[in-house]
Structure formats: structure tokens, C-alpha cells
Amino acid sequence: MVIMADTLIVYYSLEGNIDFLARSLAKELDADLFRLETVKEYPKKGLLKFFHGGKDAVTGFLPELKASPDLTAYSHVIAGSSVWAGKCSAPMKAFLQTADFSGKRVSVFASSAGGNAKKCIQQIFDAVTERGGSAGASESFINPARSPESALEKIKAFATRVKTQ
């Protein structure tokens, strides 16, 4: 069983869906939050948003992050990412490439506009295990801001799974 005060939620949110989920989950778990931010911001609307985000996810481009969290005080990390072209967001991938997950359990949540989040979640778990961590619980969401009540129910169920692993 995880002691929730020992949990950090690390997430990247472009449009607010992941931010909404991360903040809701933090309340359920009494966890700390760290929002990843890129030095150069991604476009938030229109075709350029999809072009730049999708291109970076497909090509493996790693944007420069303003800061990365210090994971040493945490035994459990929860990663939250949007799904970009079937993969985790480029800012999340940049974080995953530099973080030391040794001895940490990592759970994952992902949000998409309608596509499958399985590849995104697996990509995060693969990076975590390559960097010394172990895989925990996972959950995927589709457009959580469109039906926040339903998303909050899923968050509560996810939090229960996280607590009991």
C-alpha cells in the first residue's frame, strides 16, 4: 500500500484536460503536483497545434523543459500525458528521458480526443522500467472536460487502484 503523501503527479497539459485530471487526482490522493512546462510553448489552437505536437511525437523530438521535478522524496510517481499521434506528448517524453525512477512505482493516466491511449501508456511504462522503476496502475480518458462528472468518477476509481497497489 502506498502512503499518498509520498506521491508526486508529474504531468504536461496543453489545453487543460490533463491539468483537470491531475488536480482532481491530487485531491483524491493528497499528492503533490508538478506541471511540466516547455521553454518554447506549443500552439494551443488550430492546425499548428496538431502539426507541431504530432510532428514532435512522431519524430521523437524532445523539447527543452523549463524545469524537471526532484523525485528523490517520492516512492510513487504518477505521470499524466495527452496522446499525441498515438504516443505520449513530447514534453512528457523529454521528462521520461532524464528522470531516475530507481526503486519507484509509476502509475500513468492519459487523455485523448478519441483515439486509443494504450500505446501512450505503454511508451511511458517502457521508459520507466528502462530507468529503474516499476509499473503501477493506469487509466485512459477521452475528452474529460466534455463530461467532467464522468471523468471524476473514473479518477476516484483510478485513485482507489493506485492506493491498493
Side-chain angles (χ1 to χ4, degrees):
M1 182 154 200
V2 175
I3 299 169
M4 291 300 113
D6 196 23
T7 299
L8 176 66
I9 299 171
V10 179
Y11 68 100
Y12 177 76
S13 184
L14 183 63
E15 295 180 310
N17 283 304
I18 295 295
D19 186 65
F20 166 72
L21 295 170
R23 290 180 184 284
S24 300
L25 185 59
K27 286 179 187 173
E28 291 294 319
L29 298 173
D30 192 28
D32 293 336
L33 286 169
F34 188 96
R35 183 176 182 152
L36 298 170
E37 296 180 76
T38 56
V39 171
K40 182 179 178 188
E41 288 189 29
Y42 282 92
K44 292 187 174 159
K45 295 183 180 194
L47 188 58
L48 285 177
K49 174 184 83 168
F50 294 105
F51 174 77
H52 288 289
K55 175 186 65 72
D56 288 357
V58 170
T59 63
F61 176 78
L62 301 177
E64 183 180 354
L65 300 175
K66 289 183 179 179
S68 288
D70 181 358
L71 304 180
T72 55
Y74 302 96
S75 63
H76 189 221
V77 176
I78 301 174
S81 179
S82 313
V83 179
W84 288 8
K87 301 175 185 258
C88 74
S89 67
M92 177 55 68
K93 187 171 182 184
F95 161 68
L96 294 169
Q97 296 298 310
T98 60
D100 180 6
F101 294 107
S102 298
K104 299 184 186 317
R105 191 172 82 250
V106 180
S107 295
V108 177
F109 66 95
S111 176
S112 70
N116 192 326
K118 286 182 184 179
K119 286 182 186 178
C120 170
I121 291 169
Q122 190 58 54
Q123 182 183 24
I124 295 171
F125 281 148
D126 289 347
V128 164
T129 56
E130 286 172 11
R131 301 191 63 76
S134 61
S138 67
E139 186 60 77
S140 64
F141 298 83
I142 297 176
N143 289 323
R146 287 192 183 161
S147 55
E149 299 82 18
S150 172
L152 288 174
E153 286 180 30
K154 278 182 86 171
I155 280 289
K156 288 179 182 183
F158 178 50
T160 299
R161 289 197 318 277
V162 166
K163 289 177 188 177
T164 57
Q165 285 194 345

